[in-house]
Amino acid sequence: MPLTEDAIQVGKCYKTRIAESYKVLSITRGIVTYQTLTSPLRINTGIKAFADAVYKEITCPGQS
């Protein structure tokens, strides 16, 4: 089940069903800027599309 838009927060990491993990860098006027945990490239998408793509929050690398 996808997460709700309200559940997406800056600085948190999320997992998709295809085993990809993302870290949210910013949310500005409904646009989420994130990066995969394996690449430094930044990606922008709408918050609804992002929330539909992820299904759970995970611990970001380096955090305990």
Side-chain angles (χ1 to χ4, degrees):
M1 178 153 187
L3 295 176
T4 64
E5 295 172 32
D6 295 338
I8 307 303
Q9 297 179 13
V10 174
K12 302 285 184 166
C13 294
Y14 300 92
K15 189 153 192 78
T16 68
R17 297 221 180 264
I18 58 170
E20 192 73 57
S21 298
Y22 302 139
K23 181 173 185 176
V24 175
L25 304 174
S26 68
I27 302 172
T28 306
R29 294 189 305 230
I31 302 296
V32 176
T33 301
Y34 67 95
Q35 64 187 154
T36 67
L37 297 182
T38 58
S39 170
L41 298 177
R42 294 171 179 232
I43 304 162
N44 295 314
T45 192
I47 194 164
K48 181 174 180 0
F50 186 86
D52 287 345
V54 296
Y55 76 98
K56 74 174 185 176
E57 183 180 330
I58 60 171
T59 302
C60 292
Q63 295 179 345
S64 46

